[in-house]
Amino acid sequence: MSKKAPGAPPRFVLWREVLVAYLMPAVTAGLGGAATGQRQLVIAALTTIGGTSALVAAALGSVLRRRPVRSRPPRTPRVLAAATLGLLAAGCGLAVGLGAAHWLPHVPGLAGRAWPDRLPIDLPASSAIAATITTWRWRGSRRTPAPQHRPDSHTHTHTTTPTAPQPERQTS
């Protein structure tokens, strides 16, 4: 096992990201459901909320991990990149959640169940949180090269030679 160099950013390890993406929302929503006595929320925390979050983290993390390391610093700020991918993931999650909430009640074994109605809420929220955190952590693991100073072509450096001190003028 290799150790990271001092000052190097933390490594982006996909299985850890997926595990954290599952556990954090599942534990948080599960505790909230247990504290308020909502059995459906506890079940959703372990299935649709945690599962969606882990799935999004795995898919997005594997795509981001395959991106090449650039020799120049990224132009997009870390916050903007994370927020943008979080919003895109929320939109995708909402589309899937609305479609599933419409289609799943027509399946004979699922007719009359309450959980498909939760999907338009659970999927976009879980997707947005997982995508935002995964992108944030991935961007934090990228080494940003130090900016190199390039002299401008129109700027010239002038060297001056020291001149001998001028004698003081006497005024009469």
Side-chain angles (χ1 to χ4, degrees):
M1 181 173 189
S2 64
K3 292 190 175 193
K4 72 178 188 118
R11 287 190 50 199
F12 184 83
V13 181
L14 186 58
W15 69 266
R16 275 190 268 173
E17 300 299 326
V18 173
L19 183 65
V20 169
Y22 177 79
L23 288 176
M24 293 311 292
V27 168
T28 305
L31 289 175
T36 59
Q38 298 178 25
R39 186 173 181 268
Q40 280 186 335
L41 182 57
V42 173
I43 293 169
L46 300 173
T47 56
T48 58
I49 294 172
T52 301
S53 191
L55 181 66
V56 168
L60 182 61
S62 65
V63 168
L64 291 175
R65 193 174 66 171
R66 286 181 174 76
R67 292 193 56 154
V69 177
R70 295 182 175 175
S71 61
R72 59 182 169 82
R75 292 183 191 165
T76 308
R78 188 177 182 185
V79 167
L80 185 60
T84 301
L85 286 177
L87 287 173
L88 287 172
C92 292
L94 180 62
V96 170
L98 288 172
H102 176 73
W103 177 73
L104 286 176
H106 298 297
V107 175
L110 300 176
R113 304 275 179 141
W115 68 267
D117 294 336
R118 294 185 55 88
L119 294 179
I121 297 167
D122 291 350
L123 298 187
S126 298
S127 298
I129 292 168
T132 302
I133 291 173
T134 302
T135 305
W136 182 267
R137 290 174 56 93
W138 175 78
R139 282 291 290 269
S141 71
R142 311 308 289 174
R143 178 179 295 274
T144 55
Q148 297 175 351
H149 177 67
R150 284 188 255 153
D152 294 335
S153 60
H154 63 278
T155 306
H156 301 286
T157 57
H158 297 285
T159 58
T160 57
T161 57
T163 57
Q166 299 292 327
E168 291 185 32
R169 291 177 117 187
Q170 292 184 348
T171 56
S172 2

